Amino acid sequence: MENNSYYERAADGNSYFRVMRSHNNSIAAHFHNTTELIIVLDGTERVVINGVEHILHAGDIGVSNSFDIHYYEAVDTSEVYVVMLSDAYIRHFREAFGTRLGNFLPNNKNTQEIIRLVERLFAAQYDGNPLVLTGYIDVLLGTLHDAYPSEPSRDGDGGKVVEILRYIEDHYAAKLTLKSVAHKFGYSETYFSALFNRFVGMHFKDYLNRLRVSRAAVQLKSGDRKVSDVALSCGFESLNTYYRALKKWRPKV
């Protein structure tokens, strides 16, 4: 999977649901209202949620709750399921238990049952029967609740960083610098840089250039605009700076 937009708006539909099986799964830092589970079937996966890193092995589960900032990276090799459940499904969990799942759930005696439920969900998403789908989701969430300690329901951690990322998303074409964004949100440059690196996993400038490259790629698909015009409209100071960033952050196809 590849994600070039850190606020993944497509995953915030009212009834968004998806199960994916992925080999050597790696994805850049992103966030959304949807709850996302990564379940390691084989190998090793590095998972960072709200700046906290865990190395997950077979049977371990990472849970990114609403607006948790998260990213993944395969370590050597891995096979995983990624399950994405919109707030429409998670709302039942909150109403029933008044809690939310913890971010890191270790392999235990219930893991194989959880994996079997996800396998059924993987097949059910193509059957088109919403009752069967909702039923499996409810059973999965109930099993997770019984298998692991949960925590008080609350908004996603890292809310301030989410606010910062949204600001960058909305103003990427402007003259943004680490200094200007740090000042806007009331941080010193040193503290802001450390905070940003911890949650997003890359330097502010790299993040901004990657976002700008991805936006330029979308605009260039129409084929009716000059590269130089698109580069400037996406915030690059010159065509040369655009090409340098493109060389490093060219979107994968």
Side-chain angles (χ1 to χ4, degrees):
M1 298 190 303
E2 180 70 14
N3 177 44
N4 291 307
S5 173
Y6 296 107
Y7 177 26
E8 196 174 359
R9 287 189 171 93
D12 275 358
N14 287 334
S15 298
Y16 187 86
F17 165 78
R18 193 177 180 192
V19 181
M20 298 157 282
R21 184 160 178 154
S22 178
H23 180 67
N24 289 344
N25 183 73
S26 295
I27 189 167
H30 64 293
F31 61 95
H32 36 62
N33 191 33
T34 292
T35 294
E36 182 173 332
L37 287 73
I38 180 169
I39 304 167
V40 180
L41 304 175
D42 189 36
T44 309
E45 190 84 9
R46 175 175 173 255
V47 176
V48 182
I49 302 174
N50 292 328
V52 177
E53 175 182 328
H54 279 235
I55 302 298
L56 304 189
H57 305 280
D60 295 336
I61 302 172
V63 181
S64 299
N65 291 287
S66 177
F67 291 113
D68 285 346
I69 301 168
H70 53 287
Y71 59 96
Y72 313 139
E73 181 181 33
V75 179
D76 294 328
T77 184
S78 71
E79 193 77 22
V80 305
Y81 271 124
V82 176
V83 183
M84 304 186 71
L85 303 170
S86 76
D87 189 64
Y89 300 109
I90 298 298
R91 189 182 308 122
H92 297 157
F93 183 94
R94 291 199 307 269
E95 291 172 350
F97 304 116
T99 59
R100 73 177 208 161
L101 295 166
N103 289 132
F104 299 99
L105 311 178
N107 185 3
N108 69 19
K109 63 181 182 180
N110 299 286
T111 298
Q112 291 308 310
E113 176 61 22
I114 290 167
I115 291 174
R116 284 191 290 270
L117 285 167
V118 172
E119 288 171 345
R120 294 184 186 122
L121 273 172
F122 183 72
Q125 70 183 326
Y126 302 109
D127 292 343
N129 187 327
L131 291 178
V132 171
L133 189 65
T134 302
Y136 277 135
I137 291 171
D138 286 343
V139 173
L140 172 63
L141 291 174
T143 303
L144 286 165
H145 176 268
D146 290 344
Y148 297 99
S150 49
E151 55 189 44
S153 184
R154 53 191 170 84
D155 292 335
D157 294 331
K160 196 67 174 181
V161 180
V162 167
E163 186 180 347
I164 291 166
L165 295 183
R166 281 176 165 161
Y167 176 80
I168 297 171
E169 175 99 14
D170 292 338
H171 299 87
Y172 67 88
K175 287 189 176 182
L176 297 183
T177 64
L178 185 145
K179 181 178 180 179
S180 68
V181 178
H183 178 74
K184 175 174 177 57
F185 288 92
Y187 296 119
S188 70
E189 291 180 57
T190 301
Y191 181 84
F192 176 75
S193 179
L195 178 73
F196 196 91
N197 291 349
R198 180 164 65 89
F199 274 83
V200 182
M202 63 175 63
H203 295 298
F204 171 84
K205 186 176 180 179
D206 286 337
Y207 175 93
L208 180 60
N209 281 339
R210 179 174 178 149
L211 182 61
R212 285 171 169 171
V213 164
S214 70
R215 293 297 177 267
V218 172
Q219 294 187 33
L220 288 169
K221 283 183 179 179
S222 64
D224 58 358
R225 295 183 62 191
K226 293 181 179 179
V227 175
S228 57
D229 291 340
V230 169
L232 293 174
S233 72
C234 289
F236 291 103
E237 294 180 354
S238 69
L239 195 55
N240 286 337
T241 56
Y242 165 70
Y243 280 127
R244 282 199 297 270
L246 180 64
K247 184 177 180 180
K248 185 173 184 179
W249 300 114
R250 183 184 300 273
K252 294 179 181 179
V253 295

